[in-house]
Amino acid sequence: MNNIPFEDKPIALRRGEHKQEEFTKINPFQKVPVIDDDGFILTESAVIMRYLCEKYNLPEHWLPVADEKHSLRVAEYLNWHHAHTRLYEAMLFQTLVIVPKLKNKPINKKKVEFYRTAVRETVKHLQNYFLKGRPYLCGEEMSIADLLAVCELMQLDSVLEEELYKSNQEVKQWVDRVKIRLQPHFDEAHIIPYRLRSAFGKIKPKL
C-alpha cells in the first residue's frame, strides 16, 4: 500500500521450512514473520511494522507520533494483542486443524469450546474498549493495530468459525471496513487461508 520495495520470501510451514538450518540462521526462534533489511533482522510483526513506518516515513495514521495519546492507544493495543486476539484465534485454529493433523487424533471438543468462549470475550473487548463506536480500533483512521487484529480474525474464516465475530455487528463492520481499505492487497495476502477454508468446509466435523 505504501510502495515499500521488498523481496517476498514465502516459507512453507506445512513442510517445516521454518525448522531448517537456512531459516534458523535468520530467525533462531523458527517463527514467521521475519525481516532482513541488508543484515538488520527483526522477528516480531509489530516491531517490523514500526520499523517500516519510521524508516520510510509513512503517513502518520499508520503509527501515530505527533499525538501522544493516539500513539499510546496504538501501543496499548499492540501490547494487548498477543495475549488476546493473537492467542485465542490462533489456538482455536490450531485445535481445529494443526493439532489433530500432527497427532492424528480427534478434535478436542472441550478445548474448542474453551477457545470459542475466549474468542467471544475478545470480540466484546474489541467492540467495547477499543472501537467504542469509532471506525477503527484506535481512532478515526486505520493504524497498524487494525492490520494485526484483522489478520488474526481471518483464522476464524479459514475454519468456518467467522460467526464468532460476525455476530457482533460493530466488529463485523470494522472488519469489512478494513478489508475494503486494504484491497487488493488483503486478498493477495490471504490466498492460503481462502484455500484452507474451501478445503476445511468439505471435512469439518460437527462439534
Side-chain angles (χ1 to χ4, degrees), residues 89 92 119 153-162 165:
E89 272 74 359
L92 179 56
V119 168
L153 290 177
M154 284 303 295
Q155 293 183 90
L156 302 176
D157 288 64
S158 67
V159 290
L160 305 178
E161 294 283 336
E162 65 270 25
Y165 75 83

Side-chain angles (χ1 to χ4, degrees), residues 158-160 195-206:
S158 67
V159 290
L160 305 178
R195 289 177 183 170
L196 176 59
R197 175 183 175 83
S198 178
F200 193 71
K202 298 174 183 177
I203 63 172
K204 182 179 180 180
K206 294 182 180 180

Side-chain angles (χ1 to χ4, degrees), residues 6-20:
F6 70 98
E7 182 181 358
D8 194 17
K9 292 284 189 179
I11 301 298
L13 303 180
R14 65 190 180 282
R15 294 202 297 266
E17 290 184 1
H18 58 304
K19 300 289 186 180
Q20 295 176 7

Side-chain angles (χ1 to χ4, degrees), residues 30-52:
Q30 299 181 327
K31 305 284 186 181
V32 293
V34 60
I35 187 174
D36 182 349
D37 185 11
D38 196 24
F40 182 65
I41 294 172
L42 291 170
T43 64
E44 284 291 333
S45 54
V47 178
I48 289 171
M49 289 182 178
R50 175 183 170 184
Y51 173 70
L52 295 174

Side-chain angles (χ1 to χ4, degrees), residues 60-103:
E60 174 80 4
H61 69 85
W62 290 115
L63 184 67
V65 176
D67 184 335
E68 184 180 13
K69 289 184 177 179
H70 191 187
S71 177
L72 289 171
R73 282 296 180 204
V74 174
E76 179 182 36
Y77 178 78
L78 297 183
N79 281 275
W80 185 84
H81 172 83
H82 290 287
H84 298 86
T85 318
R86 169 65 180 157
L87 174 64
Y88 296 126
E89 272 74 359
M91 290 307 300
L92 179 56
F93 176 86
Q94 289 184 37
T95 304
L96 287 169
V97 178
I98 305 298
V99 174
K101 185 174 182 180
L102 290 178
K103 296 186 177 182

Side-chain angles (χ1 to χ4, degrees), residues 24-198:
T24 303
K25 288 179 180 178
I26 300 172
N27 186 0
F29 303 123
Q30 299 181 327
K31 305 284 186 181
V32 293
V34 60
I35 187 174
D36 182 349
D37 185 11
D38 196 24
F40 182 65
I41 294 172
L42 291 170
T43 64
E44 284 291 333
S45 54
V47 178
I48 289 171
M49 289 182 178
R50 175 183 170 184
Y51 173 70
L52 295 174
C53 288
E54 293 177 352
K55 177 174 180 176
Y56 292 96
N57 193 30
L58 299 190
E60 174 80 4
H61 69 85
W62 290 115
L63 184 67
V65 176
D67 184 335
E68 184 180 13
K69 289 184 177 179
H70 191 187
S71 177
L72 289 171
R73 282 296 180 204
V74 174
E76 179 182 36
Y77 178 78
L78 297 183
N79 281 275
W80 185 84
H81 172 83
H82 290 287
H84 298 86
T85 318
R86 169 65 180 157
L87 174 64
Y88 296 126
E89 272 74 359
M91 290 307 300
L92 179 56
F93 176 86
Q94 289 184 37
T95 304
L96 287 169
V97 178
I98 305 298
V99 174
K101 185 174 182 180
L102 290 178
K103 296 186 177 182
N104 195 27
K105 292 183 177 180
I107 294 172
N108 188 317
K109 295 181 180 180
K110 287 186 178 180
K111 285 189 176 182
V112 168
E113 286 308 316
F114 174 83
Y115 291 122
R116 280 174 174 167
T117 300
V119 168
R120 291 188 188 100
E121 191 67 18
T122 296
V123 169
K124 288 181 182 178
H125 289 316
L126 291 176
Q127 175 196 8
N128 297 327
Y129 186 79
F130 291 101
L131 285 169
K132 291 182 178 178
R134 297 174 301 204
Y136 297 98
L137 285 184
C138 301
E140 298 300 316
E141 263 292 353
M142 182 165 53
S143 71
I144 61 175
D146 298 282
L147 300 186
L148 286 173
V150 79
C151 287
E152 296 298 344
L153 290 177
M154 284 303 295
Q155 293 183 90
L156 302 176
D157 288 64
S158 67
V159 290
L160 305 178
E161 294 283 336
E162 65 270 25
E163 280 306 309
L164 292 174
Y165 75 83
K166 287 186 175 180
S167 59
N168 184 307
Q169 282 303 302
E170 188 171 346
V171 172
K172 178 186 181 299
Q173 290 170 8
W174 159 72
V175 170
D176 292 341
R177 191 177 301 119
V178 173
K179 284 183 179 181
I180 292 170
R181 283 283 301 275
L182 295 177
Q183 294 297 6
H185 313 289
F186 188 89
D187 285 344
E188 292 171 1
H190 288 88
I191 289 175
I192 299 300
Y194 292 159
R195 289 177 183 170
L196 176 59
R197 175 183 175 83
S198 178

